[in-house]
Amino acid sequence: MEDIKNWVEYYNMKATKSDDPLEVSDMHLGDSVANRLFLESEEDRMRGLLQPGMGGHLLDLGCSAGTCTALLEKYFDSVTGVDLAEKTIAIAEKRLPHCTFIVDDITKLTKLPANN
């Protein structure tokens, strides 16, 4: 449990310093060009796996500040992101108002609504 608390504190600290989801989620590669290339490669990979208009609901576990959630929401009717760090969830909620975000432990999922 102590290890989890340390990770939550770490990501909350990062979210306090920046609201850039790439910096908060450790996907940050150092500069804006590298970040853009990273996101383009992630989106290309997702396009190969997903079909536009797939519909349904996606549960994004460990969503952090919603970097991949933003790419995934294009393919699903609704998306719920779950992460333990409340400050990263706050960033995701601001950026992605059409998605639902929950602060919860992904190994327990005690806060998901019953219809999820």
Side-chain angles (χ1 to χ4, degrees):
M1 186 64 176
E2 186 63 33
D3 190 41
I4 291 172
K5 288 173 85 175
N6 290 339
W7 280 110
V8 171
E9 288 175 13
Y10 170 73
Y11 284 107
N12 280 332
M13 178 271 305
K14 289 183 78 163
T16 301
K17 292 182 177 185
S18 174
D19 61 1
D20 180 332
L22 288 174
E23 289 181 19
V24 171
S25 66
D26 284 337
M27 292 179 169
H28 180 65
L29 301 175
D31 61 53
S32 60
V33 173
N35 290 342
R36 190 170 49 254
L37 291 172
F38 170 78
L39 282 177
E40 288 172 7
S41 70
E42 281 297 290
E43 190 157 20
D44 285 344
R45 186 171 62 88
M46 287 180 193
R47 266 193 225 107
L49 298 170
L50 305 169
Q51 300 297 318
M54 287 179 69
H57 185 80
L58 176 80
L59 183 59
D60 185 4
L61 300 173
C63 68
S64 188
T67 303
C68 290
T69 313
L71 300 175
L72 291 164
E73 79 167 327
K74 299 172 188 176
Y75 298 96
F76 295 89
D77 295 332
S78 61
V79 177
T80 298
V82 180
D83 202 275
L84 265 175
E86 61 274 356
K87 291 183 181 178
T88 65
I89 289 291
I91 292 170
E93 287 173 328
K94 283 184 209 170
R95 294 180 54 244
L96 303 166
H98 300 296
C99 296
T100 301
F101 292 95
I102 299 169
V103 177
D104 199 1
D105 181 339
I106 65 171
T107 65
K108 296 180 177 81
L109 296 176
T110 59
K111 298 179 183 174
L112 280 180
N115 65 351
N116 260 337

